[in-house]
Amino acid sequence: MAFAWLVTIASFILFYYTTSVIMDGLREREQYELSILDAQIQSNFANHLEIPKQAS
């Protein structure tokens, strides 16, 4: 019976660990994608500011 409890507790710990690792990876990926989008938005905004200067 004690072995069954140890297996149950170990499986919960393993599940928690794998879930937290997956969530950290997703968070890191999301931050990476957001930084790319931010750079694209800033680049587009800078390009729109350049257009009136070139026209005049």
Side-chain angles (χ1 to χ4, degrees):
M1 187 66 178
F3 180 73
W5 278 109
L6 287 176
V7 169
T8 303
I9 292 170
S11 64
F12 276 118
I13 291 171
L14 184 64
F15 177 74
Y16 175 78
Y17 175 74
T18 54
T19 303
S20 65
V21 167
I22 290 170
M23 292 303 290
D24 287 344
L26 289 175
R27 242 181 252 117
E28 196 172 302
R29 180 177 172 186
E30 183 179 355
Q31 286 298 325
Y32 175 73
E33 290 174 353
L34 286 174
S35 66
I36 290 175
L37 287 174
D38 187 43
Q40 289 174 343
I41 289 170
Q42 289 180 5
S43 173
N44 287 341
F45 185 70
N47 288 342
H48 286 296
L49 291 178
E50 294 287 324
I51 292 170
K53 290 180 184 176
Q54 292 174 355
S56 50

